[in-house]
Amino acid sequence: MLVRCCGVVRLGVVRLGVVRIGAVGVRRAARRRRHRALTALRLLVPLLVLVAGLVASSAMAVPSVMAAPSAMAATGVTCAVPDQRLTELSGLVADGARWWAIADGGRVSRAISLDPGGCATTGERSAPIDPVDVEDVGIGPDGALWLADIGDNTGERDTVAAIVLPSAGPARLHRFAYPDGPHDAEALVVADDGVPLIVTKTVGAAGIYRPDGAPGAGTTPLRRVGQIVLPESTTPGGPLGSAGSRTITGAGLSPAGAAGPGRVVAVRTYTDAWLFRLPSGATASGLVEALAGPPVQVALPDEAQGEAVALTADGTLVSGGEARGGRPATIRTVPGAVGEAVAPDAPVAAQPDAPPGPSTPAALPAIIGAGTVAVLLCGLAVAMTLHARRRR
């Protein structure tokens, strides 16, 4: 009995020792797993630091996007527009010793004349026609003003319109329909033969459309006759960042019989004006040909929302922008812009063969790759830590 008892006791002691040894082993194994996890983390930290350094150096090494060569730039404000009806100044055209200006919105078709000496209001032309979204103004060879009711931010309009305000007589309303669905547009110019051209607001390849026939009382179909792909620009300003430098918001044409070395047709974006020479005259066909050529850049920096452009008889470029941030609508001028644009050594910039893509840093793929590696390493570290905790 004693032997058995002792045997049981001894056996119990042995079993207790086994249990104790097993518990110690579990704790040691858990410590080893935690040690391995901490060691992995210590190895990962320098790797993460290295990746962060590569990302930072890649970002610092991003080359700047080269702007198109620019010979000219607008500087200070010529005048602030006091007329509150023009706080959303959207279009300008020069007419002798005055400027005609139009604003976005409103329930009346109206153009307001301004004195170039100080932007004071000197008169108006209007008609009781309720427009949808007037965005630009052009002037025909007979002096009639063409209000471009062509805005379509939501892409829902079946037709767009031009409201013609002659110097005398009743207004005329012409409706147009695109052949390829609705387009938003903010630029219109009237050629010397009286044909209007509309340039869409598409970022990249902006379409050029003309009426397919003489505008009448009904709806006239439009025909796409060309496109404009503007060079990239690094001029600051506007509400859309880099995309705004390729978004056409207005157009203008040097007046017929303009003094000086020649005439140009201009389109503008939120940041720049682009002047195109007229190798074949200023008929509608001549303008389409000109707009396919290489333009000359005129930088219009730091305009909050520049949408208006005009050209005067003496070759001055006139730029206008909406009121923003407590500042009134303003007008700036670039004297001699046309003369410099038509000079033999003018710094023209070829239009790209395809629309430029969104402006992204050249090192973006490297940055994305380094970021992906960092995320994977962090995920591995977290997974190892969680695994170690589960095995405790």
Side-chain angles (χ1 to χ4, degrees):
M1 296 294 294
L2 292 175
V3 173
R4 291 177 181 175
C5 179
C6 293
V8 170
V9 171
R10 287 170 184 161
L11 181 59
V13 171
V14 171
R15 289 176 178 173
L16 181 61
V18 171
V19 172
R20 288 175 179 172
I21 292 171
V24 171
V26 169
R27 287 196 295 270
R28 289 177 178 173
R31 283 198 296 270
R32 285 196 295 270
R33 284 193 294 270
R34 287 197 296 272
H35 177 72
R36 287 196 295 269
L38 291 174
T39 301
L41 286 174
R42 293 190 186 99
L43 293 174
L44 287 174
V45 167
L47 289 174
L48 292 175
V49 172
L50 177 61
V51 169
L54 290 173
V55 171
S57 62
S58 298
M60 293 177 63
V62 173
S64 59
V65 178
M66 294 299 293
S70 176
M72 298 164 280
T75 52
V77 173
T78 299
C79 58
V81 180
D83 195 320
Q84 293 301 305
R85 296 172 296 177
L86 293 174
T87 55
E88 295 190 29
L89 177 63
S90 183
L92 283 169
V93 68
D95 180 20
R98 60 187 170 183
W99 299 330
W100 289 102
I102 58 96
D104 284 351
R107 304 300 299 273
V108 176
S109 300
R110 178 188 292 115
I112 297 171
S113 64
L114 302 177
D115 177 10
C119 288
T121 299
T122 58
E124 70 173 63
R125 290 187 201 174
S126 63
I129 299 174
D130 185 2
V132 176
D133 188 6
V134 174
E135 292 286 356
D136 203 1
V137 60
I139 188 167
D142 58 354
L145 301 176
W146 288 62
L147 277 57
D149 183 8
I150 55 178
D152 189 9
N153 293 326
T154 58
E156 297 177 344
R157 298 181 63 175
D158 295 327
T159 63
V160 294
I163 301 151
V164 183
L165 304 177
S167 56
R172 304 190 304 273
L173 174 64
H174 301 304
R175 297 193 182 278
F176 306 103
Y178 291 103
D180 49 1
H183 291 282
D184 189 22
E186 295 189 359
L188 177 143
V189 63
V190 183
D192 284 0
D193 52 5
V195 176
L197 298 179
I198 297 172
V199 183
T200 65
K201 200 180 177 182
T202 307
V203 177
I208 306 172
Y209 293 82
R210 62 167 292 169
D212 195 6
T219 298
T220 304
L222 294 170
R223 176 162 49 95
R224 185 179 174 112
V225 292
Q227 68 177 29
I228 304 171
V229 182
L230 292 175
E232 291 203 20
S233 166
T234 56
T235 304
L240 299 181
S242 61
S245 68
R246 300 190 298 274
T247 303
I248 294 176
T249 62
L253 175 64
S254 296
R263 300 172 69 192
V264 298
V265 61
V267 298
R268 72 155 298 158
T269 67
Y270 286 118
T271 59
D272 303 272
W274 299 89
L275 308 187
F276 298 78
R277 302 170 181 174
L278 301 177
S280 302
T283 63
S285 298
L287 296 185
V288 172
E289 178 185 347
L291 291 170
V296 174
Q297 181 188 22
V298 181
L300 305 172
D302 302 320
E303 291 189 0
Q305 188 156 336
E307 297 187 359
V309 65
L311 301 161
T312 66
D314 66 356
T316 296
L317 182 141
V318 185
S319 167
E322 296 185 4
R324 282 290 182 273
R327 296 186 299 176
T330 55
I331 291 178
R332 300 193 291 179
T333 59
V334 185
V338 173
E340 292 197 37
V342 300
D345 58 348
V348 297
Q351 296 191 41
D353 293 332
S359 296
T360 54
L364 185 60
I367 295 173
I368 293 175
T372 303
V373 171
V375 171
L376 292 174
L377 291 176
C378 289
L380 177 62
V382 172
M384 292 179 66
T385 303
L386 293 175
H387 178 73
R389 288 179 178 176
R390 286 196 298 267
R391 296 291 300 272
R392 289 180 184 177

